[in-house]
Amino acid sequence: MNDTNRLIQDLTEGRIGRRDFIIRALALGVSFGSIESILAACGGGSSGSSSSTLKYANWASAESATKKQIDQAIQDFETQNNATINNIAIPFDQMLQQLTTMTNGGNPPDVVELSGNWPYALGGSGALQPLNSYIGSWRNDAFTNSFEVGTYKGNVYAVPFSISPHGFWYSKDLMTQAGLDPSKPPTTMDELNSQMATLRAKLPADAFPIGIDISKTEYALVGFWPWIWTFGGNPMVDDGKGNVTINWADDGTVAAFQWLQDIVKKRWTPPDQAIKAERELMATGKIAFKLDGPYLTGILGNTNPALNTVSAVNQHFGLTTTPVGPGQSSPVTAADIHNLGMSSQASNKDLAWKFIEYLTSNKKVLTNYLVTEGIFPHKSDVVTGGPYANLFSDAISQVYINKVIPTMRPPAYGPHYSTAASFVVTALQEIAGGANVRQRLTQLTSEVKTVYS
């Protein structure tokens, strides 16, 4: 029996899942067309019953830029598996609230798209199915900390769908306009502050050296975590067992918030702008520096027709790691990724897992959705020699893969994190508005400790 036939036997006898089969078949040199034919012949079109239904809640179908691609992928899965997918489109900023409401009402989606703290909020309450027994060797084919973002107290509640940590974007055009060398973006906080002072002096009043989200949203904290760590702060530390040490007034965190207050006063960052507005400003040449995810490539193109190709984005923008802070030896960023989970109430968990595998390994999903949005599938797909490596050969993508992704780490997510985050972003806004930094962070420490008590 040759290696391919042995692999097919492992699939048909249930020793490996579809994703493991696809990865191993590609490694053996089996073509995509042959893989699809093998999966169909091995029962990929049936889950053992004539018809099954799944409910899938996601924000991709609620956004015009991605709706068409996801809807087509779902239709293909329905055809291949004799299944019906009830596609539930929910806007990103309403996702957690809607999922919680549906779960509490006894009618949760079977498969859910998740982000940030959501796997912990839902998994910690018992709403999500632990996936440890499903993932097999997949965890070995993952970027650093991509599974950790969905793991709580040893249970994997969500698997990586797309890898999208924040890297340090810079406008080559605005740097050149200010007399700075666009081939030498800032690598330390001292260099960043120096370049921002130059940019402020040279740019028009309606343009800004950097964009920092200081809106009253949980996502503003996702964007500010790298800056806190960069200054040496570590205000919330989870021991992996759900125990969290809290001190929002440590010296590094105070330094990060003081830096934020200072750059607001100096008009180095636009006041009261959420991340969507900042992205629009960057697309129209009004922001020089910004921490953001790889999907910014697609957003820039959707906002400004002059940037509607990857090559155009690379011509006008560059990417590097977060500048290194005082006393720090290496850059760091937040492991902000999109992942997929399964409801603990799903009636057909095998079909639900098959759908998750499909969304994370199907060629059309990867090339028509993830790649077009500028976000990364999983490690073996995109590294040198991978089946989609050529689609990520541009300079910005290569910096993400080789430099930014290895620096990502998860915040201290947990079931109480979202409640705590509401207090943190309130303090963030007040400090940006001029509140005494150490006093306000000392107050914040008491507020967050109350949440966890």
Side-chain angles (χ1 to χ4, degrees):
M1 181 184 298
N2 64 31
D3 290 342
T4 301
N5 289 336
R6 187 176 297 108
L7 187 60
I8 294 171
Q9 183 174 332
D10 286 345
L11 174 68
T12 57
E13 295 180 2
R15 287 192 289 272
I16 61 172
R18 288 166 58 90
R19 179 179 175 80
D20 280 344
F21 173 80
I22 292 170
I23 291 171
R24 289 164 60 181
L26 288 171
L28 291 173
V30 181
S31 69
F32 281 113
S34 296
I35 289 172
E36 291 172 353
S37 298
I38 292 168
L39 289 173
C42 290
S46 173
S47 61
S49 59
S50 59
S51 179
S52 296
T53 300
L54 292 176
K55 298 187 293 292
Y56 175 45
N58 67 99
W59 63 83
S61 291
E63 299 177 358
S64 58
T66 51
K67 175 178 170 55
K68 180 179 179 181
Q69 297 95 314
I70 286 298
D71 288 355
Q72 182 59 58
I74 288 173
Q75 291 175 21
D76 291 345
F77 179 84
E78 290 176 319
T79 300
Q80 295 169 20
N81 292 275
N82 190 26
T84 299
I85 305 296
N86 181 5
N87 188 22
I88 305 169
I90 302 175
F92 180 85
D93 58 358
Q94 300 175 24
M95 196 75 180
L96 180 58
Q97 178 184 354
Q98 293 286 351
L99 293 177
T100 302
T101 300
M102 295 167 75
T103 299
N104 292 341
N107 186 35
D110 300 285
V111 177
V112 292
E113 186 177 12
L114 302 165
S115 180
N117 187 59
W118 305 348
Y120 302 80
L122 295 169
S125 68
L128 296 179
Q129 173 71 28
L131 300 175
N132 304 54
S133 62
Y134 290 87
I135 59 179
S137 63
W138 181 359
R139 197 163 190 163
N140 298 326
D141 175 31
F143 286 111
T144 302
N145 284 331
S146 56
F147 266 91
E148 281 67 18
V149 178
T151 301
Y152 180 62
K153 291 185 177 181
N155 284 322
V156 178
Y157 288 110
V159 295
F161 184 20
S162 60
I163 314 301
S164 51
H166 289 189
F168 187 84
W169 287 74
Y170 56 93
S171 167
K172 297 177 183 178
D173 297 340
L174 291 183
M175 289 185 70
T176 300
Q177 183 179 331
L180 298 171
D181 186 347
S183 68
K184 297 179 180 179
T187 59
T188 67
M189 288 304 298
D190 286 343
E191 290 177 0
L192 172 60
N193 290 330
S194 175
Q195 291 193 16
M196 288 196 297
T198 299
L199 286 159
R200 180 65 288 161
K202 299 293 183 65
L203 295 180
D206 63 346
F208 297 88
I210 196 169
I212 304 286
D213 183 353
I214 51 177
S215 63
K216 198 173 181 179
T217 63
E218 183 175 326
Y219 201 71
L221 179 54
V222 173
F224 200 63
W225 272 117
W227 297 117
I228 293 173
W229 293 328
T230 289
F231 279 92
N234 205 10
M236 290 172 58
V237 182
D238 192 316
D239 66 356
K241 300 177 182 178
N243 302 309
V244 182
T245 302
I246 300 162
N247 180 14
W248 280 91
D250 70 54
D251 289 345
T253 303
V254 170
F257 277 83
Q258 185 63 62
W259 173 76
L260 170 67
Q261 186 178 87
D262 291 344
I263 65 175
V264 171
K265 287 179 180 178
K266 295 174 181 177
R267 286 185 48 79
W268 288 2
T269 187
D272 302 321
Q273 294 283 357
I275 193 167
K276 181 178 180 180
E278 290 174 353
R279 289 166 174 166
E280 292 173 351
L281 288 173
M282 196 162 201
T284 54
K286 300 297 183 181
I287 284 181
F289 299 140
K290 191 175 185 317
L291 282 180
D292 213 328
Y295 35 71
L296 186 58
T297 295
I299 293 171
L300 292 171
N302 289 334
T303 305
N304 183 349
L307 301 171
N308 64 358
T309 65
V310 171
S311 61
V313 172
N314 277 263
Q315 178 184 348
H316 294 280
F317 294 91
L319 183 80
T320 188
T321 51
T322 310
V324 177
Q328 306 303 303
S329 60
S330 58
V332 63
T333 193
D336 178 40
I337 71 173
H338 301 162
N339 38 33
L340 296 171
M342 180 196 306
S343 170
S344 59
Q345 300 180 47
S347 59
N348 191 339
K349 291 184 172 64
D350 288 341
L351 184 62
W353 179 250
K354 182 178 286 189
F355 185 53
I356 289 174
E357 285 191 304
Y358 169 83
L359 289 174
T360 57
S361 62
N362 178 266
K363 180 183 179 182
K364 286 185 179 179
V365 178
L366 297 181
T367 56
N368 295 340
Y369 169 51
L370 296 181
V371 173
T372 58
E373 291 306 300
I375 48 184
F376 301 94
H378 309 300
K379 192 172 183 179
S380 65
D381 293 328
V382 300
V383 296
T384 302
Y388 309 110
N390 64 308
L391 301 176
F392 295 93
S393 59
D394 66 286
I396 289 175
S397 294
Q398 284 296 299
V399 172
Y400 268 113
I401 292 170
N402 297 305
K403 295 183 179 180
V404 175
I405 290 177
T407 74
M408 70 181 187
R409 68 190 244 200
Y413 288 142
H416 301 297
Y417 174 90
S418 292
T419 303
S422 66
F423 288 98
V424 177
V425 296
T426 297
L428 184 78
Q429 284 195 314
E430 292 178 6
I431 289 171
N436 181 279
V437 177
R438 190 172 291 275
Q439 289 179 6
R440 186 62 185 88
L441 291 178
T442 299
Q443 176 187 336
L444 176 61
T445 298
S446 297
E447 293 168 343
V448 174
K449 283 184 176 179
T450 301
V451 172
Y452 283 84
S453 66

